[in-house]
Amino acid sequence: MTPSPFSIPANARRIDPARQRATALKKDGSVNDNDRVEIGPTPLAFAEWERLGLEPPHLPTLRAYRLQRIVDQLVARDLGGILLFDPLNIRYATDTTNMQLWTTHNPARACFVAASGHVVLWDFHGCDHLSAHLPLITELRSGASFFFFETGEHTDRHARHFAAQIDELLRQHAGANRRLAVDRIEVAGVRALDALAIEMCSGQEVTEFARMIKGPDEIKAMRCAVAACEASVAEMHQAMRAGVTENDVWAALHAGNIRRGGEWIETRILSSGPRTNPWFQESGHGC
């Protein structure tokens, strides 16, 4: 008799750690191994794109292009680096994702990119494995939280500790340049960086100008994203019938999005497309 999965001891390994990892690559350049944590297109999405004659982007090339776009903007503006808390900007710079909606209103993750190209990612504690497949991240840390829900009456102390790390990184990788772009930050962080004589500049301007010019692989990703969106919307149309509610229709759209590897749908506007493609969660309009 086949044993029930519930009879497996709690301390037993479900995955053999000695198992050799797959060496083949998917068409987007990612490892063809389902024992992984990265979010990406599903076999359904790849099959649909192949039928449409669409070529997926090469992810390692796309990631390097986006990081270079940020670095170029920093150099052009004589900035020592940029500090990112917006999860969409972090995704653009590093292609990492972790609790995207939650960290939108709970800034527990951060990223620093130096004009030299040095990248530091502060992820949520215990989540180092989520970015283990990304070689462009130079350092991985934790402890970027200094908002009241997380740190309470110790918020100022946590902010000072974090600001000291930024000060250290600027001195190491920007020399005497104290100009730091910041996209958004808690008040305690502003005060802590000010106290260290760090000159804060507009980080949103840097990231928006970086996004302005799309690379060849981004164009491919946009085409694939549009195709995945259209397929999900077509399934939504099929679900529309007499007696069905708007929530039922939205459920069909969400299902199509998830089935193709998307993370979430940002709005409930029927004329707006879903974020069906994880490559483009850094922008509000799939671009």
Side-chain angles (χ1 to χ4, degrees), residues 196-218:
L196 295 172
I198 294 174
E199 179 185 351
M200 282 174 281
C201 308
S202 173
Q204 291 289 7
E205 180 178 330
V206 171
T207 56
E208 289 300 322
F209 272 89
R211 287 187 179 91
M212 185 179 294
I213 300 177
K214 308 301 181 187
D217 283 280
E218 290 187 297

Side-chain angles (χ1 to χ4, degrees), residues 89-252:
N89 287 336
I90 294 174
R91 184 70 187 267
Y92 182 87
T94 66
D95 201 21
T96 61
T97 176
N98 186 5
M99 304 180 291
Q100 293 290 78
L101 294 182
W102 189 79
T103 54
T104 297
H105 57 92
N106 293 289
R109 304 176 74 229
C111 174
F112 171 83
V113 179
S116 65
H118 189 90
V119 179
V120 180
L121 174 68
W122 288 263
D123 214 330
F124 199 73
H125 57 81
C127 295
D128 293 9
H129 60 291
L130 295 181
S131 56
H133 61 288
L134 295 168
L136 295 180
I137 298 174
T138 318
E139 294 183 55
L140 187 61
R141 306 184 184 186
S142 61
S145 302
F146 47 89
F147 53 98
F148 190 81
F149 179 79
E150 179 79 9
T151 51
E153 68 273 19
H154 305 294
T155 294
D156 288 341
R157 176 167 58 84
H158 282 268
R160 288 192 296 270
H161 175 73
F162 181 80
Q165 295 182 62
I166 301 302
D167 180 59
E168 170 199 6
L169 288 168
L170 281 175
R171 294 181 187 280
Q172 288 180 353
H173 301 285
N177 192 334
R178 306 291 288 168
R179 288 167 47 80
L180 175 71
V182 183
D183 63 350
R184 63 171 63 170
I185 191 169
E186 296 287 296
V187 172
V190 173
R191 291 171 177 164
L193 291 172
D194 275 339
L196 295 172
I198 294 174
E199 179 185 351
M200 282 174 281
C201 308
S202 173
Q204 291 289 7
E205 180 178 330
V206 171
T207 56
E208 289 300 322
F209 272 89
R211 287 187 179 91
M212 185 179 294
I213 300 177
K214 308 301 181 187
D217 283 280
E218 290 187 297
I219 299 298
K220 293 176 183 178
M222 290 170 67
R223 290 170 176 158
C224 290
V226 169
C229 178
E230 289 177 339
S232 298
V233 171
E235 292 176 355
M236 179 186 71
H237 287 167
Q238 293 174 2
M240 296 175 67
R241 61 185 184 278
V244 74
T245 68
E246 182 175 334
N247 283 338
D248 292 328
V249 174
W250 273 112

